[in-house]
Amino acid sequence: MSMLQFSGNLSWLFPTLPSLPSRMQAAAGAGFRWVEVAWPYDWAPELLRQEAERNQLRVVLINTPPGDVKAGEMGLGAVPGRQEDFRKGLDLALQYAKALDCGRIHIMAGRVPAGLDRAHVEDEMEATFVENLNHAAAVLSQEGIIGLLEPINSRITDPRYFLNTPHQAAALLKKVGCDNLKLQMDVFHWQIMDGNLTQNLKTYLPLIGDTLEGLGWLRSYWKSRGIQDSGPGRPEPQPVVSGPAEETQGSSK
């Protein structure tokens, strides 16, 4: 059985601590060796690099900047007319990723603009996202960094978030067709929007941008139950979905 590896999301863990460096120290003290953070941009990248090294932490994921949070923005990837701001934000995210030796950046799609109907602007937002994803893939490939798309449910968490299902994300990845763009799996959002976790895991596992080591727990889980892997993400027979008491891996939010 491979060792489980957990990544603590410092944007949500240790909320009583005032700064990201202090949360890094707390995460190391709690036994984490891998951490992620949504937006590290309030702290200098060199400071965060030194803090990560001092605490023997590896930052494995950051997000692109959200844009104008006070104006209700939550990412700019799919927001029409904000392409230039998206590119500047991507450059900033890349600067931090390189300083932190972070190999993955979540490219945030953003929200349907306030006052507009999703169906009315869907085509324009998708075209904008495809344009920005093509640009991001080209920029990130020069540094060997993976760009991730994470669907965020629009039923509970963020009603106006544009990218809200794994099906939509998979279709975008197919349309863009770049090997360094992958799907970020968050079963919380997938369950709320679709609920068909076992089949969705089988279908979309080949698109998920985790490392092979990070996915080792899943293959070990199938093997421990006598299930042979017949190809990437295609175990036979149907695997059993683990419950709360079973082995799990992923980010702690």
Side-chain angles (χ1 to χ4, degrees):
M1 181 71 68
S2 61
M3 182 180 295
L4 301 182
Q5 301 173 5
F6 293 88
S7 171
N9 193 318
L10 300 186
S11 295
W12 284 270
L13 283 177
F14 311 110
T16 59
L17 297 179
S19 70
L20 181 53
S22 63
R23 293 185 183 194
M24 284 182 165
Q25 182 177 355
F32 286 102
R33 290 297 173 261
W34 296 269
V35 295
E36 57 191 80
V37 58
W39 301 292
Y41 306 111
D42 287 338
W43 295 270
E46 181 62 22
L47 170 65
L48 296 182
R49 184 189 65 78
Q50 292 173 356
E51 196 66 27
E53 291 178 349
R54 187 171 71 85
N55 288 287
Q56 297 183 311
L57 291 173
R58 179 75 180 272
V59 179
V60 297
L61 176 67
I62 63 174
N63 293 359
T64 53
D68 188 345
V69 175
K70 292 182 179 179
E73 293 180 335
M74 190 56 64
L76 300 173
V79 181
R82 300 298 301 278
Q83 286 92 327
E84 185 60 31
D85 291 327
F86 169 81
R87 294 187 177 199
K88 291 178 181 178
L90 179 68
D91 289 343
L92 181 62
L94 184 59
Q95 176 187 343
Y96 273 77
K98 290 170 63 177
L100 296 169
D101 193 24
C102 175
R104 288 176 289 274
I105 297 175
H106 169 205
I107 302 173
M108 300 200 71
R111 292 169 171 158
V112 175
L116 297 179
D117 180 71
R118 179 185 294 267
H120 180 71
V121 297
E122 185 170 7
D123 289 346
E124 184 181 8
M125 292 191 72
E126 179 178 301
T128 300
F129 206 14
V130 168
E131 175 188 344
N132 283 333
L133 289 174
N134 275 304
H135 171 78
V139 170
L140 297 181
S141 67
Q142 297 176 19
E143 304 296 338
I145 292 177
I146 297 294
L148 298 177
L149 305 188
E150 181 185 14
I152 297 176
N153 80 83
S154 57
R155 290 180 176 170
I156 297 175
T157 301
D158 196 329
R160 291 195 291 116
Y161 201 77
F162 175 69
L163 184 65
N164 57 13
T165 72
H167 320 296
Q168 182 187 12
L172 283 164
L173 289 172
K174 182 178 180 180
K175 182 170 289 191
V176 176
C178 295
D179 291 340
N180 66 327
L181 297 181
K182 302 291 184 181
L183 177 62
Q184 181 173 328
M185 180 185 67
D186 188 322
V187 295
F188 168 75
H189 295 299
W190 288 25
Q191 169 65 22
I192 289 173
M193 292 302 294
D194 193 55
N196 190 18
L197 287 182
T198 300
Q199 187 59 46
N200 282 339
L201 281 169
K202 289 179 64 178
T203 300
Y204 297 118
L205 186 59
L207 300 178
I208 293 172
D210 297 319
T211 64
L212 292 177
E213 292 81 5
L215 290 174
W217 70 272
L218 184 55
R219 298 194 183 282
S220 297
Y221 180 85
W222 290 334
K223 185 176 180 180
S224 70
R225 283 148 181 80
I227 299 170
Q228 297 300 314
D229 183 4
S230 61
R234 298 176 179 85
E236 295 292 347
Q238 185 91 351
V240 178
V241 177
S242 62
E246 295 283 352
E247 300 150 353
T248 59
Q249 162 164 347
S251 62
S252 300
K253 297 183 178 181

